[in-house]
Amino acid sequence: MTSFDAPTVIATKRDGGRLSDAAIDWVIDAYTHGCVADEQMSALLMAIFLRGMDPGETARWTTAMVASGPRLDFSGLRRGDAPLVTVDKHSTGGVGDKITLPLVAVIAACGGAVPQASGRGLGHTGGTLDKLDSIAGFTAALSNRQVTDQLRRVGAAIFAAGQLAPADAKLYALRDVTATVESLPLIASSVMSKKLAEGASALVLDVKIGSGAFMTSAAAGAELARTMVALGAAAGVRTRALLTDMNAPLGATAGNAVEVAEALEVLAGGGPADVVELTVALATEMLSLAGIEGRDPAQTLADGTAMDRFRALIAAQGGDLSVPLPIGACSETVTAPRGGTMGDIDAMAVGQTVWRLGAGRSRPGEQVQAGAGIRIHRRPGEPVAAGEPLFTLYTDTPERFGPALAALDGGWSVGDTAPPPRPLIIDRIEP
Ligand code: URA
């Protein structure tokens, strides 16, 4: 193998050059094995953040990250005599995005199998594993054999992506604390390396656009979606993307345990309309890509079959839903300064609030608070009376209220008219 050194690779990108395939293979391999230090990789990530990567570099960076670990293969998966089709979804990250929880259960109830490799929170966005950790006893540390067994028995498994694309696991944690998250090639390669290594035969991407997303403009979101769909297609995985709105938080909660509670409401046939709409829309795409016909995702929420699958999944992974979900020991309520109509609620403000309450981390490996979060009592367009509660903030550490309330300040309003409605599902991208 050609030998490289980190300062030269960093300088190439710093100066606007192109990284060769060999340089990318070397730096990903060397970083995975500890031969390139965190401070060197941080500098390279910042250079990539500022200079970008072209489609060829992004594709090679993705392939190198997939090759940093094992690749699962579910092509022979069967339940009894029937083949089981694996299909997954991945969101690029949003605020209040608990969709994975009801969605995997819906697909399992419809006869699909979801091997869902998940991550922890990144920046101001929440992570599925941080949310699920708030369920007593739940573990996401599953062996490959456990994942396969669970797919057969339950139809879904949610596991730490750590073993898959281990290069991404290290890079993801480093990007989270070096302000290098919002980069199209780094997001595309991060998402797709995990998803390609995970071995699902079909994949639906939920690409978030708006103030609370990593991509704030529709044009950037569409480019990210096209990049990821092309990476999936090139690897032989049927891939499709929905572009969805992330200007306002999804649902009425953001945080960890509070989002699990809301997902349970959706699985019980209730819950906020936007969470239900997106769950059903993504499920419809997943079933179509998996070739599963004649199943109605909304029906599985109404008739309890999705809830049955969710309970089976949690139990299979050691979780006990009979233990009450934690909630922060301290709470603070924001009330309406006047009567009127709730205006827009800014997803980024809510994401920062929740992060400051302790639901996210500011150092790698930091413990997050299961009970930290926010409950949104009035959604945009709803009538509000003066003095009514609008938001309740929860944390175990009350000194966090000051910074959290400062983040929320200016992120909402009460006015005389309802804000114009925005479609939740903006577009759909296919190869
Ligand atoms: N989700 C990921 O898996 N990686 C990113 O970089 C952003 C969102």
Side-chain angles (χ1 to χ4, degrees), residues 7-68:
T8 309
V9 175
I10 297 165
T12 301
K13 189 43 79 181
R14 180 199 64 196
D15 297 340
R18 188 177 187 284
L19 300 179
S20 67
D21 288 355
I24 291 173
D25 292 351
W26 175 81
V27 79
I28 293 290
D29 184 65
Y31 180 60
T32 307
H33 294 100
C35 305
V36 163
D38 278 348
E39 54 270 31
Q40 294 174 310
M41 189 47 104
S42 303
L44 179 59
L45 290 172
M46 188 55 82
I48 293 171
F49 182 94
L50 296 171
R51 295 290 193 171
M53 286 202 285
D54 70 23
E57 287 175 294
T58 307
R60 191 66 180 209
W61 188 274
T62 308
T63 309
M65 292 214 292
V66 174
S68 69

Side-chain angles (χ1 to χ4, degrees), residues 128-129 131-142 150 157-159 310 313-320:
T128 300
L129 296 188
K131 299 177 217 266
L132 284 171
D133 273 351
S134 60
I135 299 174
F138 182 87
T139 179
L142 302 185
Q150 207 171 302
I158 302 180
F159 53 100
F310 188 72
L313 178 147
I314 297 299
Q317 297 190 217
D320 184 353

Side-chain angles (χ1 to χ4, degrees), residues 90-94 117-120 122 125 168 171-172 175 180-195 214 224 228:
H90 192 85
S91 153
T92 54
S118 282
R120 305 217 164 258
L122 191 60
T125 67
D168 178 61
L171 285 172
Y172 193 88
R175 286 168 57 216
T180 50
V181 171
E182 301 90 342
S183 150
L184 190 151
L186 293 178
I187 296 175
S189 56
S190 164
V191 169
M192 293 310 290
S193 62
K194 285 189 285 274
K195 295 289 133 173
F214 295 128
L224 174 63
M228 293 194 292

Side-chain angles (χ1 to χ4, degrees), residues 332-346:
E332 188 81 39
T333 299
V334 177
T335 55
R338 54 163 282 192
T341 304
M342 193 71 193
D344 272 327
I345 301 174
D346 178 44

Side-chain angles (χ1 to χ4, degrees), residues 51-413:
R51 295 290 193 171
M53 286 202 285
D54 70 23
E57 287 175 294
T58 307
R60 191 66 180 209
W61 188 274
T62 308
T63 309
M65 292 214 292
V66 174
S68 69
R71 191 166 178 180
L72 304 183
D73 178 7
F74 298 112
S75 51
L77 195 68
R78 304 182 78 77
R79 184 179 289 146
D81 289 339
L84 257 182
V85 187
T86 50
V87 54
D88 194 16
K89 83 98 198 188
H90 192 85
S91 153
T92 54
V95 178
D97 185 1
K98 67 281 296 172
I99 301 293
T100 292
L101 307 184
L103 182 60
V104 299
V106 166
I107 298 299
C110 290
V114 189
Q116 160 79 213
S118 282
R120 305 217 164 258
L122 191 60
H124 66 281
T125 67
T128 300
L129 296 188
D130 290 332
K131 299 177 217 266
L132 284 171
D133 273 351
S134 60
I135 299 174
F138 182 87
T139 179
L142 302 185
S143 68
N144 295 351
R145 179 191 284 266
Q146 283 172 302
V147 172
T148 307
D149 179 53
Q150 207 171 302
L151 290 178
R152 274 201 205 96
R153 286 189 302 114
V154 179
I158 302 180
F159 53 100
Q163 289 179 19
L164 303 174
D168 178 61
K170 283 187 84 177
L171 285 172
Y172 193 88
L174 193 61
R175 286 168 57 216
D176 193 18
V177 293
T178 55
T180 50
V181 171
E182 301 90 342
S183 150
L184 190 151
L186 293 178
I187 296 175
S189 56
S190 164
V191 169
M192 293 310 290
S193 62
K194 285 189 285 274
K195 295 289 133 173
L196 297 179
E198 167 193 281
S201 51
L203 175 65
V204 174
L205 298 160
D206 179 6
V207 178
K208 304 283 187 202
I209 298 171
S211 75
F214 295 128
M215 294 291 136
T216 49
S217 76
E223 195 188 339
L224 174 63
R226 278 193 296 271
T227 304
M228 293 194 292
V229 167
L231 289 170
V237 176
R238 297 191 291 279
T239 310
R240 199 178 274 175
L242 290 185
L243 301 185
T244 68
D245 184 73
M246 188 30 75
N247 285 296
L250 261 175
T253 59
N256 292 319
V258 286
E259 291 199 36
V260 176
E262 190 170 281
L264 287 167
E265 284 170 30
V266 171
L267 285 160
D274 56 348
V275 179
V276 176
E277 180 187 346
L278 190 51
T279 302
V280 170
L282 288 165
T284 304
E285 299 295 340
M286 289 169 78
L287 294 174
S288 137
L289 272 192
I292 297 173
E293 288 170 1
R295 301 304 304 260
D296 175 4
Q299 181 61 24
T300 68
L301 294 173
D303 66 16
T305 50
M307 178 67 102
D308 291 345
R309 289 298 86 201
F310 188 72
R311 289 188 177 285
L313 178 147
I314 297 299
Q317 297 190 217
D320 184 353
L321 283 170
S322 69
V323 177
L325 290 164
I327 189 77
C330 310
S331 67
E332 188 81 39
T333 299
V334 177
T335 55
R338 54 163 282 192
T341 304
M342 193 71 193
D344 272 327
I345 301 174
D346 178 44
M348 178 54 99
V350 172
Q352 294 283 359
T353 303
V354 166
W355 183 71
R356 290 182 182 186
L357 288 169
R361 45 182 74 70
S362 51
R363 286 193 312 279
E366 195 178 11
Q367 193 73 26
V368 300
Q369 292 185 23
I374 192 168
R375 195 169 288 283
I376 301 167
H377 301 290
R378 290 286 175 270
R379 311 286 307 283
E382 289 182 356
V384 170
E388 256 187 352
L390 299 180
F391 304 96
T392 304
L393 284 61
Y394 299 95
T395 182
D396 291 330
T397 38
E399 64 276 14
R400 291 175 176 270
F401 281 130
L405 287 165
L408 191 59
D409 198 29
W412 58 275
S413 61

